[in-house]
Amino acid sequence: RTKPVLSVFKDRTKPVLSVFKDRTKPVMMQLYKSLIRSRAEYCCPLWNPTKIADIHAIESIQRNFTRRISGMKIMNYWDRLKELNLSSLQRRRERYMIIHVWKILHGVCPNDIKMVFKENSRLGTKVVVPPLTKTATALAKTLYDNSFGVKAGRLWNTLPRDVNTQCQLECFKAKLGSYLDSFPDTPPTPGYTASNQNSLIDWFSQRGGPQMAR
């Protein structure tokens, strides 16, 4: 599923770097965001990769592009993300999944997966993650964990009450952005040592978040 995405990245990156010779930060960032990243993220909640190898492969496109920006080559990728005020592609995909859940909750998108919500006086609006039978095979568990209904539901359930109760989309996005910025963004990268796989769920659990996020 990631091959078409990688193809879009590569097909866009080569001509951009060939035509535009200016490697300054403002120019390169504008080119990247408008001509490359925007196309490659289309419908990403649908194809969001779960295998580390696939996450590596997709992240490598942004990693390699940012190395070409003037003054960035000597920095490691995680430091470049901070310097350029960029989120990892992994973090952005999870953000899109959370926003889609908000749209389902508020009727902006159809709830064709029958996602169930419940209100909690202390935690706000939470997703009821469907249970998996104890006799499920390893394959069934993998498919279950990686399904949109489960993964997106768990991501949503990490949100604090002041974020998940926002009723206006722009207000929700602003609150969500601040919340995401409170977590480190260290995407899986070959040769780098990370404390987890960088999913919001991992960071939330590492902070000691309630089991509702699982």
Side-chain angles (χ1 to χ4, degrees), residues 119-132:
E119 296 297 324
N120 183 292
S121 59
R122 183 171 63 89
L123 301 175
T125 305
K126 295 297 176 179
V127 171
V128 179
V129 178
L132 180 69

Side-chain angles (χ1 to χ4, degrees), residues 157-171:
N157 286 347
T158 69
L159 303 181
R161 191 178 191 282
D162 69 310
V163 179
N164 65 40
T165 55
Q166 294 295 318
C167 295
Q168 299 297 320
L169 181 57
E170 293 308 312
C171 293

Side-chain angles (χ1 to χ4, degrees), residues 25-205:
K25 176 180 173 180
V27 172
M28 289 286 279
M29 291 298 292
Q30 182 63 37
L31 292 172
Y32 176 66
K33 291 179 179 180
S34 60
L35 299 178
I36 300 172
R37 188 179 68 182
S38 59
R39 288 293 302 274
E41 288 184 330
Y42 182 70
C43 287
C44 61
L46 181 64
W47 54 261
N48 181 48
T50 55
K51 294 180 179 179
I52 293 298
D54 291 336
I55 296 174
H56 283 168
I58 293 177
E59 202 71 42
S60 70
I61 304 299
Q62 179 167 274
R63 181 185 178 191
N64 292 334
F65 189 93
T66 55
R67 285 182 73 250
R68 297 174 180 269
I69 299 174
S70 297
M72 295 292 113
K73 190 174 182 178
I74 61 174
M75 293 184 179
N76 70 46
Y77 180 48
W78 295 346
D79 288 339
R80 287 202 300 275
L81 291 177
K82 295 177 183 178
E83 181 66 22
L84 297 170
N85 195 28
L86 277 176
S87 297
S88 66
L89 297 176
Q90 178 194 25
R91 181 63 53 84
R92 286 176 60 81
R93 289 192 298 272
E94 292 195 340
R95 174 181 176 272
Y96 284 127
M97 293 176 76
I98 292 171
I99 291 173
H100 193 73
V101 173
W102 185 94
K103 290 180 177 180
I104 291 174
L105 171 64
H106 292 276
V108 179
C109 291
N111 188 5
D112 48 6
I113 61 172
K114 308 301 181 185
M115 185 171 275
V116 177
F117 299 89
K118 70 176 181 180
E119 296 297 324
N120 183 292
S121 59
R122 183 171 63 89
L123 301 175
T125 305
K126 295 297 176 179
V127 171
V128 179
V129 178
L132 180 69
T133 60
K134 294 181 179 180
T135 57
T137 64
L139 175 59
K141 186 177 187 306
T142 298
L143 293 174
Y144 166 85
D145 288 335
N146 296 337
S147 66
F148 178 84
V150 172
K151 181 67 178 290
R154 288 173 173 171
L155 287 168
W156 175 272
N157 286 347
T158 69
L159 303 181
R161 191 178 191 282
D162 69 310
V163 179
N164 65 40
T165 55
Q166 294 295 318
C167 295
Q168 299 297 320
L169 181 57
E170 293 308 312
C171 293
F172 174 74
K173 287 181 178 179
K175 287 280 189 178
L176 176 61
S178 297
Y179 175 68
L180 295 179
D181 287 343
S182 72
F183 293 92
D185 190 6
T186 53
T189 307
Y192 291 36
T193 301
S195 59
N196 56 46
Q197 295 184 4
N198 197 48
S199 172
L200 181 61
I201 298 170
D202 296 328
W203 287 114
F204 182 80
S205 298

